[in-house]
Amino acid sequence: MDCIFCKIVNKEVPAEIYYEDDHAIAFLDMNPANVGHTLVIPKKHFETIDKMNKIELDKLSEAILKISKGIMGIADGMNIVQNNKEVAGQAVPHVHFHLVPRYKGDGYSLGWKREKRVTKEENDDFLKKLKEVKI
Ligand code: AMP
Ligand code: ZN
């Protein structure tokens, strides 16, 4: 499969992998938003998080928790971001969690603009649709 993250998992493409277990790896983002910006990914290929099952996500969570403890032992805080599909900013279609260490005064801003007004009707419609989706 022509997936850059699968190639990193298989050591076909170099990356700064600093954590590895049977199910996950963690490595430094090559275009970091901040010092220590880490990507935690499952070894198995899933395009988006909804394609995973509970056991697979549990296993990935273990790695995310370990890396989180490491980062929080060094940095002042951390953002965790996980994008699904291009519309949400996903550039690499292999599930990954961004763990971005934050340092006091780093001046880095991350967040959504809340300029779009969401009406109660729109949210009601969302909740109605959710009932029709099997979850
Ligand atoms: P996303 O936009 O959520 O899909 O994020 C993809 C991230 O993967 C970006 O932050 C990239 O800088 C990072 N990235 C892409 N290719 C590599 C690579 N070969 N090694 C390390 N990081 C990568
Ligand atoms: Zn992959």
Side-chain angles (χ1 to χ4, degrees):
M1 180 182 303
D2 196 26
C3 167
I4 185 74
F5 285 1
C6 282
K7 286 182 179 157
I8 289 174
V9 168
N10 295 325
K11 316 279 163 64
E12 291 160 19
V13 163
E16 198 64 57
I17 299 172
Y18 71 85
Y19 172 83
E20 177 164 9
D21 62 31
D22 288 347
H23 308 284
I25 59 169
F27 56 99
L28 295 177
D29 194 296
M30 71 175 187
N31 185 22
N34 216 345
V35 175
H37 181 164
T38 297
L39 300 174
V40 184
I41 73 170
K43 284 187 167 175
K44 199 171 157 193
H45 182 93
F46 304 97
E47 185 185 343
T48 51
I49 194 168
D50 53 297
K51 305 285 188 229
M52 302 179 77
N53 67 30
K54 185 182 177 303
I55 294 166
E56 290 153 350
L57 189 58
D58 275 355
K59 287 170 178 166
L60 184 60
S61 298
E62 271 182 40
I64 292 168
L65 186 57
K66 280 187 182 157
I67 305 304
S68 294
K69 287 177 190 287
I71 289 176
M72 293 302 284
I74 298 167
D76 301 312
M78 172 179 66
N79 294 112
I80 296 184
V81 176
Q82 200 270 321
N83 303 320
N84 297 283
K85 294 283 189 185
E86 210 176 331
V87 69
Q90 184 180 19
V92 178
H94 179 131
V95 164
H96 51 282
F97 281 74
H98 296 257
L99 274 63
V100 183
R102 299 301 304 272
Y103 308 97
K104 280 185 188 125
D106 63 19
Y108 179 66
S109 86
L110 182 138
W112 296 278
K113 292 193 184 123
R114 309 288 173 102
E115 287 155 5
K116 186 183 183 317
R117 285 189 57 80
V118 175
T119 64
K120 182 173 183 319
E121 287 70 29
E122 286 173 313
N123 265 344
D124 285 349
D125 187 48
F126 169 82
L127 293 175
K128 202 173 135 232
K129 284 178 181 155
L130 200 56
K131 280 188 189 143
E132 287 152 21
V133 178
K134 199 166 173 282
I135 54 172

